[in-house]
């Protein structure tokens, strides 16, 4: 446990982001026992000009102009900093040498705003926790001089086009500079250990309370009354970048007495797929997040039929925890990141595996297995995740830090 310290948290997502964020959950957990400053990414001149009508950008402009305070208290022990200064959009710069110069300039501008907040808040011997901000993060250890510099890798961003151009070169340098590297999957831990021996897999926190059905309050939607059992389901964005359309077609073709139910918005490849011509495949469309537990409850088997590619191979599948929280039998694609679930999830490598494992799961499901799955999901709390983060920081830095 780390208590009574000052922690600066920064990354690639602002506090006012409209979707959930690991980084925000971790910062809130840090703040239970430490003073925490959550720093938003700096605003670029290009974004300010192109998105000036968005409410969030208007807020940033008012703060830049001194019309609102840049330091906002979120909760006890938790503050949010809106950097005032603009940085430049440089990702399209093709020349490596020029990118390096401009990136260092951006980092210096960003660090100066953070230093002012550090001074105002009288932060001392602080821990700097960087959530995947690899470009600016290359220089922040030198510029801010934290007592501990922790880099958090939870996505394979260097395989995403925006980050790939310069990130494949830069992220390993950031990993190497860090005092400790924290990851949410074994795949990323192995990757980071190539550059830094103090790299640790700390798992993932999830708030799955809205998927809890222990009081039997979640109701199956009426749409399922017209769908024959057994129901083999998936909830989430239906995108061919991450999901195996051919696998889903194979399952539906091999077992016409099974109903394949897909809940979520479709990309063009899904809209054009042969799945729409199969009588035992049901597309239920986009649903409000608050309704997703109802749809999962309607599944006999929950699936995560993902492709194995650079976008998926290392990612922690939060969806699996949500399925587990409802006690559902789950069939998922075998990856290194999924190994931590192997005692509670059926893992397959081929199309044939999926069909055989679905049959196995249907035949052996029981209340005992359901309870085991629910208990496993409950262990993945943000409290446990941050406990693992603390333990890893202490382990990596005990030679030069004295912890209580």
């Amino acid at each position: 446990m780390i208590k009574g310290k000052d922690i600066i948290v920064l990354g690639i997502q602002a506090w006012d982001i409209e979707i959930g964020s690991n980084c925000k959950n971790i910062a809130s957990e840090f703040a239970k026992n430490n003073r925490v400053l959550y720093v938003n990414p700096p605003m670029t001149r290009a974004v300010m000009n192109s998105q000036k009508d968005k409410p969030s950008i208007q807020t940033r402009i008012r703060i830049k102009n001194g019309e609102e305070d840049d330091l906002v208290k979120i909760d006890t022990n938790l503050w949010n900093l809106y950097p005032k200064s603009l940085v430049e959009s440089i990702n399209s710069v093709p020349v490596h040498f020029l990118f390096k110069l401009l990136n260092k300039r951006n980092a210096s501008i960003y660090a100066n705003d953070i230093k002012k907040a550090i001074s105002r808040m009288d932060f001392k011997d602080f821990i700097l926790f960087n959530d995947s901000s690899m470009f600016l993060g290359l220089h922040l250890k030198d510029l801010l001089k934290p007592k501990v510099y922790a880099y958090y890798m939870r996505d394979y961003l260097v395989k995403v086009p925006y980050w790939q151009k310069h990130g494949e070169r830069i992220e390993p340098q950031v990993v190497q500079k860090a005092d400790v590297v924290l990851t949410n999957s074994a795949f990323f831990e192995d990757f980071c250990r190539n550059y830094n021996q103090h790299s640790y897999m700390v798992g993932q926190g999830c708030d799955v309370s809205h998927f809890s059905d222990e009081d039997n309050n979640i109701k199956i939607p009426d749409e399922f009354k017209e769908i024959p059992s057994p129901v083999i389901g998936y909830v989430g964005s239906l995108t061919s970048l991450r999901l195996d359309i051919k696998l889903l077609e194979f399952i539906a073709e091999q077992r016409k007495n099974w109903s394949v139910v897909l809940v979520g918005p479709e990309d063009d490849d899904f809209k054009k797929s042969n799945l729409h011509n199969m009588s035992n495949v049901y597309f239920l469309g986009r649903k409000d997040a608050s309704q997703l537990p109802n749809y999962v409850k309607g599944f006999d088997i929950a699936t995560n039929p993902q492709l194995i590619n650079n976008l998926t191979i290392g990612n922690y599948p939060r969806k699996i925890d949500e399925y587990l929280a409802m006690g559902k039998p789950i069939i998922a694609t075998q990856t290194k990141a999924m190994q931590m679930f192997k005692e509670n999830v059926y893992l397959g490598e081929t199309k044939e595996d999926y069909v055989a494992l679905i049959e196995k799961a249907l035949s052996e499901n029981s209340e005992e297995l359901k309870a085991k799955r629910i208990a496993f999901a409950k262990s993945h709390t943000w409290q446990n995740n941050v406990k693992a983060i603390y333990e890893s920081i202490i382990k990596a830095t005990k030679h030069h830090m004295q912890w209580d």
Side-chain angles (χ1 to χ4, degrees):
M1 176 70 77
I2 294 176
K3 291 184 177 181
K5 303 296 183 185
D6 294 331
I7 304 176
I8 295 175
V9 177
L10 57 86
I12 56 177
Q13 295 175 323
W15 187 268
D16 56 0
I17 190 172
E18 295 174 353
I19 60 174
S21 165
N22 284 22
C23 196
K24 287 176 60 176
N25 290 119
I26 289 170
S28 295
E29 193 66 35
F30 283 163
K32 290 180 179 178
N33 294 290
N34 304 279
R35 292 199 305 164
V36 177
L37 175 63
Y38 188 101
V39 183
N40 292 341
M43 183 167 62
T44 66
R45 194 179 309 276
V47 167
M48 183 184 73
N49 292 331
S50 65
Q51 301 180 30
K52 59 186 177 184
D53 294 331
K54 285 181 63 175
S56 60
I57 301 302
Q58 290 176 357
T59 298
R60 302 291 289 264
I61 291 172
R62 289 194 299 272
I63 290 169
K64 172 184 170 294
N65 295 335
E67 297 166 12
E68 292 186 20
D69 196 349
D70 60 336
L71 196 56
V72 179
K73 189 164 187 178
I74 302 296
D75 205 344
T76 305
N77 286 340
L78 178 61
W79 293 261
N80 181 205
L81 176 68
Y82 289 78
K84 285 185 174 183
S85 305
L86 294 176
V87 298
E88 304 302 333
S89 299
I90 61 172
N91 199 51
S92 60
V93 173
V95 180
H96 172 49
F97 175 73
L98 184 55
F99 177 88
K100 280 177 65 177
L101 289 176
L102 294 173
N103 186 51
K104 190 167 185 178
R105 179 179 180 274
N106 278 349
S108 296
I109 291 169
Y110 187 44
N112 283 338
D113 280 353
I114 298 172
K115 285 177 183 176
K116 291 174 185 175
I118 290 171
S119 177
R120 287 160 64 188
M121 298 184 69
D122 195 30
F123 267 32
K124 305 288 187 185
D125 296 332
F126 58 87
I127 297 167
L128 180 60
F129 181 91
N130 176 2
D131 173 25
S132 304
S133 181
M134 64 187 78
F135 298 158
L136 298 170
L138 181 62
H139 301 289
L140 292 178
K141 181 177 181 180
D142 298 327
L143 292 167
L144 296 176
K145 299 186 176 0
K147 198 71 174 177
V148 176
Y149 183 34
Y151 186 69
Y152 180 44
M153 184 179 181
R154 58 184 171 93
D155 283 304
Y156 212 5
L157 289 179
V158 295
K159 299 303 181 182
V160 176
Y162 174 84
W163 298 98
Q164 188 169 22
K165 186 173 185 179
H166 299 288
E168 286 190 329
R169 179 181 67 254
I170 289 177
E171 187 166 43
Q173 296 177 50
V174 182
V175 168
Q176 195 169 29
K177 274 192 172 190
D179 298 303
V180 58
V181 182
L182 309 158
T183 75
N184 66 350
S185 80
F187 178 86
F188 294 143
E189 180 185 29
D190 287 350
F191 171 82
C192 292
R193 279 190 181 272
N194 291 320
Y195 308 99
N196 191 322
Q197 65 174 335
H198 298 299
S199 299
Y200 305 100
M201 199 278 280
V202 295
Q204 168 82 44
C206 294
D207 180 6
V208 293
S209 56
H210 58 303
F211 281 86
S212 172
D213 193 32
E214 291 176 288
D215 296 328
N216 204 32
N217 291 326
I218 297 174
K219 304 302 178 187
I220 297 174
D222 289 341
E223 290 150 285
F224 284 84
K225 292 178 180 177
E226 306 301 321
I227 300 175
S229 293
V231 173
I232 317 303
Y234 173 85
V235 163
S237 293
L238 301 170
T239 168
S240 61
L241 290 174
R242 293 180 178 272
L243 300 181
D244 192 337
I245 292 175
K246 295 298 182 187
L247 168 59
L248 290 167
E249 290 175 351
F250 181 83
I251 294 169
E253 178 64 34
Q254 291 296 307
R255 296 292 184 273
K256 291 185 170 62
N257 61 315
W258 294 351
S259 297
V260 177
V261 174
L262 304 173
V263 182
E266 301 173 68
D267 70 3
D268 287 340
D269 288 333
F270 264 88
K271 288 175 182 176
K272 296 172 186 173
S273 72
N274 190 47
L275 289 164
H276 282 276
N277 301 319
M278 306 179 87
S279 61
N280 60 331
V281 178
Y282 301 81
F283 286 86
L284 302 189
R286 183 194 296 270
K287 303 297 176 184
D288 187 88
S290 65
Q291 293 300 307
L292 296 184
N294 302 71
Y295 285 85
V296 174
K297 186 169 184 177
F299 299 165
D300 295 295
I301 301 290
T303 64
N304 192 31
Q306 68 177 29
L307 291 166
I308 297 180
N309 56 34
N310 288 331
L311 287 176
T312 64
I313 192 167
N315 286 359
Y316 183 100
R318 188 182 298 197
K319 181 184 316 297
I320 300 297
D321 276 315
E322 294 170 345
Y323 290 159
L324 287 169
M326 297 200 74
K328 293 296 175 180
I330 303 161
I331 320 299
T333 304
Q334 170 85 269
T335 65
K336 189 152 195 169
M338 284 299 302
Q339 283 301 300
M340 66 180 295
F341 293 95
K342 65 182 180 181
E343 299 299 323
N344 297 282
V345 175
Y346 301 89
L347 300 178
E349 296 181 359
T350 67
K351 298 190 294 290
E352 292 78 13
D353 285 348
Y354 260 80
V355 173
L357 289 171
I358 289 170
E359 288 184 330
K360 185 174 191 290
L362 286 169
S363 67
E364 69 183 22
N365 195 28
S366 66
E367 287 301 314
E368 182 182 353
L369 286 174
K370 179 179 178 180
K372 185 183 173 193
R373 296 177 193 121
I374 292 171
F376 186 68
K378 283 182 175 179
S379 73
H380 293 166
T381 62
W382 287 110
Q383 182 180 4
N384 286 345
N385 184 214
V386 167
K387 180 175 181 285
I389 289 172
Y390 287 155
E391 289 171 352
S392 298
I393 291 174
I394 292 169
K395 183 177 180 180
T397 62
K398 60 185 178 183
H399 59 286
H400 71 271
M401 288 284 289
Q402 206 157 16
W403 301 98
D404 298 334

